[in-house]
Amino acid sequence: AQSVTQPDIHITVSEGASLELRCNYSYGATPYLFWYVQSPGQGLQLLLKYFSGDTLVQGIKGFEAEFKRSQSSFNLRKPSVHWSDAAEYFCAVGAFSGGYQKVTFGTGTKLQVIP
Amino acid sequence: DVKVTQSSRYLVKRTGEKVFLECVQDMDHENMFWYRQDPGLGLRLIYFSYDVKMKEKGDIPEGYSVSREKKERFSLILESASTNQTSMYLCASSRTGTQGNQPQHFGDGTRLSIL
């Protein structure tokens, strides 16, 4: 079975600083990986996804993520954080299991942005 | 854009009541999901459905049931609500892909309080 670990529960960065959110996964085959963002009181919005090919994927809102198979990681990055990026971020791994599509989510990282 | 609509943003019910949470999607997606979200626990899958009248248990199905009579609608039922079911409930839908690679689209959530 797949699993996802987001080791940082809470991160605080200054506006304009760079950001990296960590995600480690466990899965026996080729993973399908996602990053979602959740603003307060809202549902989850897809930021980006990795299926195969280029290990550096670009997403919306200026985010990117890099898949590193050797480290079982899929870290999310942004070069310059804006105050509107304050939200909770979820990493997820997807696969077929027992004939069904199953997505497993991490426990989330809450991002605070200070002026 | 895919639209996933949950019938209520906030709901307050009493213990022992039968509670219905409704979810509708407008993109003809085969798969629909119900999650609950609790602080520090991330998203946990309650039930999912990959076709009309089909349902499968997720990771925490106890105390819940579901109904999918039409492709676009997926209902979550709390048979006899209890205080430990106070939570944020998120509905999602996705298209069937190969190897589970289709992102899920989320509704805005229903914050349910059981008194």
Side-chain angles (χ1 to χ4, degrees):
Chain A
Q2 65 259 40
S3 65
V4 179
T5 301
Q6 293 181 250
D8 303 306
I9 297 171
H10 192 273
I11 282 184
T12 300
V13 299
S14 298
E15 190 168 13
S18 63
L19 171 70
E20 182 169 29
L21 302 182
R22 296 184 291 165
C23 172
N24 293 96
Y25 68 90
S26 173
Y27 182 58
T30 302
Y32 296 85
L33 298 161
F34 309 90
W35 274 100
Y36 288 86
V37 61
Q38 184 181 34
S39 299
Q42 303 294 317
L44 277 69
Q45 179 185 20
L46 181 70
L47 281 176
L48 48 79
K49 58 185 185 277
Y50 170 78
F51 294 160
S52 64
D54 193 347
T55 57
L56 185 64
V57 293
Q58 302 297 320
I60 62 171
K61 305 186 182 194
F63 285 92
E64 65 178 27
E66 186 171 12
F67 169 60
K68 293 185 177 180
R69 185 185 298 275
S70 62
Q71 298 176 20
S72 297
S73 69
F74 188 56
N75 294 349
L76 182 71
R77 301 194 294 247
K78 187 170 184 178
S80 177
V81 169
H82 188 262
W83 64 266
S84 60
D85 293 324
E88 191 159 19
Y89 293 79
F90 292 90
C91 182
V93 58
F96 262 112
S97 175
Y100 309 122
Q101 180 196 88
K102 184 172 182 186
V103 176
T104 300
F105 289 85
T107 52
T109 297
K110 192 163 287 188
L111 174 66
Q112 181 182 11
V113 180
I114 55 177
Chain B
D1 271 356
V2 176
K3 183 74 173 175
V4 179
T5 303
Q6 295 184 230
S7 53
S8 304
R9 292 298 302 273
Y10 301 93
L11 206 54
V12 180
K13 296 292 182 180
R14 299 206 172 272
T15 56
E17 280 192 68
K18 191 169 186 176
V19 181
F20 293 85
L21 303 183
E22 307 287 345
C23 175
V24 177
Q25 52 94 3
D26 65 358
M27 283 301 291
D28 202 37
H29 283 173
E30 297 86 358
N31 307 306
M32 296 189 75
F33 307 84
W34 275 107
Y35 295 90
R36 65 176 282 176
Q37 182 180 18
D38 300 289
L41 297 179
L43 276 71
R44 293 180 291 167
L45 182 63
I46 304 172
Y47 268 96
F48 65 101
S49 169
Y50 57 92
D51 202 352
V52 176
K53 297 190 184 296
M54 305 301 288
K55 61 184 179 183
E56 293 293 332
K57 292 180 180 179
D59 300 318
I60 52 163
E62 296 78 19
Y64 303 94
S65 62
V66 291
S67 172
R68 193 166 181 203
E69 296 296 318
K70 294 184 178 181
K71 190 174 186 179
E72 68 270 19
R73 186 181 297 271
F74 193 36
S75 303
L76 180 70
I77 304 156
L78 286 65
E79 296 290 344
S80 177
S82 64
T83 55
N84 63 11
Q85 292 178 309
T86 291
S87 186
M88 169 73 96
Y89 289 87
L90 292 168
C91 176
S93 71
S94 73
R95 192 171 302 285
T96 294
T98 57
Q99 299 301 315
N101 61 355
Q102 300 305 307
Q104 295 182 12
H105 300 263
F106 285 82
D108 285 339
T110 296
R111 188 165 291 283
L112 175 65
S113 296
I114 308 296
L115 304 179

